[in-house]
Amino acid sequence: MSGKGRWFSLLVAGTLVLVLLASCAPPAAAPAPGGEEAAPPAEQKVLRVWITWGDNPAQLQSLFDKYGEANNVRVEVNSPVDDDKVIAGLSGSQPPDILVLGGPDSVGTWAREGLITPLDDFLAGGEVDLNDIFEAPLSQCKYQGKYYCLPWGTDTYALFWNKDLFEDAGLDPEQPPQTMEELVEYAKKLTKFDENGNMVQVGFIPDFSWSHLGLYVAMMGGYWYSEDGTKILFTSDPVVNALKWEQQFYCDYNVDEVLRFTSAFGGYMSPDNGFYAGKVAMMVEGEWQPGPNFIQKYKPELYYGVAPFPPPQDHPERKNTNLVSGTVALIPSGVKDKAAAWKLMAWMMSPEIVAEEMVANFNLPSSKKAAEDPRFHENEKFEVFLKLMADPNAKAPILTPINAEVETELGQIEEQVLHTCADPLPLLEEAQARLQPMLDKALSD
């Protein structure tokens, strides 16, 4: 083929390609009635929810998808979110619309720093019935007269005991200790050593799997803050006596041997958990333990009981004292469309949604109407926690703007008292002297 002929053939082929491409292109938008072009579809609004817990993110996303479908929005759930990301998100330019925390410990601090939104104006609209929320979990959200969060389910703690180990020790397996003093005696009978002096079973570890100092202080008749949250009461008798009561479970034995024995326990969520494995006879734990994700999953054959933690012998009126604290939801101050965030939060607080989520998590419902759901009453051990939450002696922890600093200090003191058998009072005096001016300043800012 000549050069001219080859160029002619290329021209014809190119023309055919252009014709084919034109025939495959999408049709142009049809003009709107009246001759105007139709507007492009509006972009769907996105609401972002961050949750600091969540063993099943897919279940949480599926729950919030129901809200999205009903309200023509897209809800993006991020779970579980690391604490470091939460703090960065709160102070950044694009915070989540709703932040769900595992507990209220930081609420007072963040309220003081202006990082979270007071909810009182929204609550005045009546979308959320505060009378439907149990008093103890609701009170944990109130800081200096304003609500900065709302409880979305909650937790409390009780005494678990291994009935097989009770029988082996000659104790009635159906009769847990009735007083804190009796618990000490039971623990001695349930603690065992081999012929070489090695601990092979322990009756009770007061800070297993984490600190329960707040519960013990409440049982002793107080707390480490005054009722109005303006004074630190570290040196009060309830705090000192609670630490001394805990101390005997370490210091009446060989502390190093207790630490050696407990350090060999398996993971919290594993068959080798110290209580599941029969190495700890009694423990303080939460309502989720009898559920499908814990004992039912890792040690279904475990023969155990659950009862309210016992009061001191001289104060039977403190029976059923328990600290109620758990998941809270809040709206960061930097959220641009707070009305949309509040609408989503109000939906979360409806009894139907509270029931659905807390049944899925085996956690306590914060809504009284939700608590009537028969699914919460199928497990008699879970029923123990439901009654504790509603008991007149149920309390919420007192919050202050320096909660984080105070709890860190108390944690260090508790560890020193238990692991070195130190006298708690001098440590508490020194810490109180240092923290009270910090609290005074925070309250006056």
Side-chain angles (χ1 to χ4, degrees), residues 25-41:
E36 298 178 0
E37 289 190 357

Side-chain angles (χ1 to χ4, degrees), residues 118-138:
L119 302 176
D120 298 74
D121 289 345
F122 293 114
L123 287 166
E127 292 92 346
V128 174
D129 181 8
L130 292 184
N131 292 322
D132 180 50
I133 301 176
F134 285 102
E135 182 178 348
L138 179 61

